[in-house]
Every structure is written in C-alpha cells, then in structure tokens.
Amino acid sequence: IAAISLLVFAGCANAAVRCITVTGQDIICGSDTLVEDISMPVVEGFSNAAFEKALNTHIRAFVDSARKDAREQARIVQQWMPYVCVLTVDYDVKNACGLFSMRLTSDLENGGTGMPYTTYINADARESRILTLDDLFQTTDYRSGVDQYLSEMMAADAHFFPGTFAG
C-alpha cells in the first residue's frame, strides 16, 4: 500500500492540479413543525462548465429531496404529537492530487430513530468526470471479493441479515 501511495503522490506532483473550491450556502428556516439547518455546497473550479453545472444540479436535487421528505415526515409526526422536527444537511470535502471527494449527509431528527442518509460524490478534477469503483480496477472481478468480504462481516454481526445481501 505504501508503494501505491508513493506512486499516486509522485504522479500528483508532476500533474497540473485544478483548484476546486466548495462554498456552503446556508439555508436556515423554520416553523412550529420543522427547522431546516442546511449547508448546501456549491462546487467551482472544474474545467468543464457543463460537468460542474450537472454536479451542482445533482447536489441541489439531493438537498431539495431531503427538504421535501422532511416536510412530509414533519406533517406525519404532527398527527401523533406536537413536535418540532429538525433537518440537518452538511458535507465534507477531500480534494487532493486532482481527485475530488464529497460526503453529503441529510439527517432528520423526528422524535424517533431519525432518518440519516449519506451519498458520496467522487470525481476526477483533471477530466471533469465522476469516478466509480470500476475506475479503480482493470476488471470487475473485484466485486466477488468485496461481496465475499461483506458477507463474512455480516455473518459475524447479529445486527445484519447476511441471507438478504444481494451483492
């Protein structure tokens, strides 16, 4: 692993790395049934403007969907008890050597178990394209190894139902 890390960072030092910036747009609003505390990221700096616009549209859709769902859940909660639900949306960004990675999380505190949801966005900043696991491997053979490993981990933990894991 150390040799791979050195190779990645050596390649990083020789390549032109774009400066990708992320600015949070704070959206804070509330009512007597729902408070929304949102930090919506806006991404800038990709060389491909269409890709950047699509990425920001995807992020906006995630936030809009979380807000719509939170409003519906708050309406349902009100049928059972007066309670102020709280929707929080936040993000974390890693940006190094031309690789951009964002964790985007929405979490609705609704008086019960809550409803967290996390999505990840990984992109090649040099080529302005989304990265997937398939981009990291030459073939799709890695899938069976990952499936086997996850099945073993689930079998060892009573909180999981390994028989329902489909890969």
Side-chain angles (χ1 to χ4, degrees):
I1 294 177
I4 293 172
S5 297
L6 288 174
L7 179 63
V8 168
F9 287 111
C12 176
N14 296 328
V17 178
R18 295 200 55 85
C19 183
I20 308 299
T21 60
V22 180
T23 306
Q25 287 184 345
D26 293 332
I27 303 168
I28 300 173
C29 54
S31 68
D32 56 351
T33 61
L34 176 65
V35 172
E36 298 177 23
D37 182 4
I38 298 168
S39 183
M40 184 174 66
V42 177
V43 179
E44 296 178 295
F46 282 94
S47 61
N48 183 323
F51 174 80
E52 184 175 285
K53 182 178 180 183
L55 187 59
N56 283 314
T57 298
H58 175 74
I59 292 167
R60 173 60 123 176
F62 176 89
V63 171
D64 289 347
S65 177
R67 293 179 83 187
K68 179 181 176 189
D69 184 59
R71 290 177 185 144
E72 177 62 17
Q73 292 299 319
R75 186 190 66 72
I76 292 169
V77 166
Q78 295 308 307
Q79 294 174 4
W80 298 99
M81 66 181 162
Y83 187 83
V84 179
C85 297
V86 178
L87 171 66
T88 305
V89 177
D90 66 357
Y91 64 94
D92 182 48
V93 173
K94 306 285 191 251
N95 189 10
C97 298
L99 299 176
F100 174 84
S101 183
M102 176 185 291
R103 175 197 45 81
L104 186 57
T105 303
S106 67
D107 188 10
L108 178 63
E109 194 283 299
N110 62 356
T113 59
M115 301 175 135
Y117 182 76
T118 301
T119 189
Y120 297 90
I121 300 168
N122 298 294
D124 182 328
R126 291 181 189 103
E127 296 182 21
S128 295
R129 69 179 183 93
I130 294 293
L131 296 173
T132 66
L133 279 177
D134 289 341
D135 295 316
L136 299 177
F137 299 95
Q138 296 284 334
T139 69
T140 58
D141 293 344
Y142 73 91
R143 292 175 190 263
S144 62
V146 171
D147 286 351
Q148 180 181 347
Y149 175 77
L150 291 175
S151 294
E152 290 169 5
M153 294 287 97
M154 286 188 275
D157 189 332
H159 293 97
F160 293 101
F161 303 98
T164 62
F165 179 62

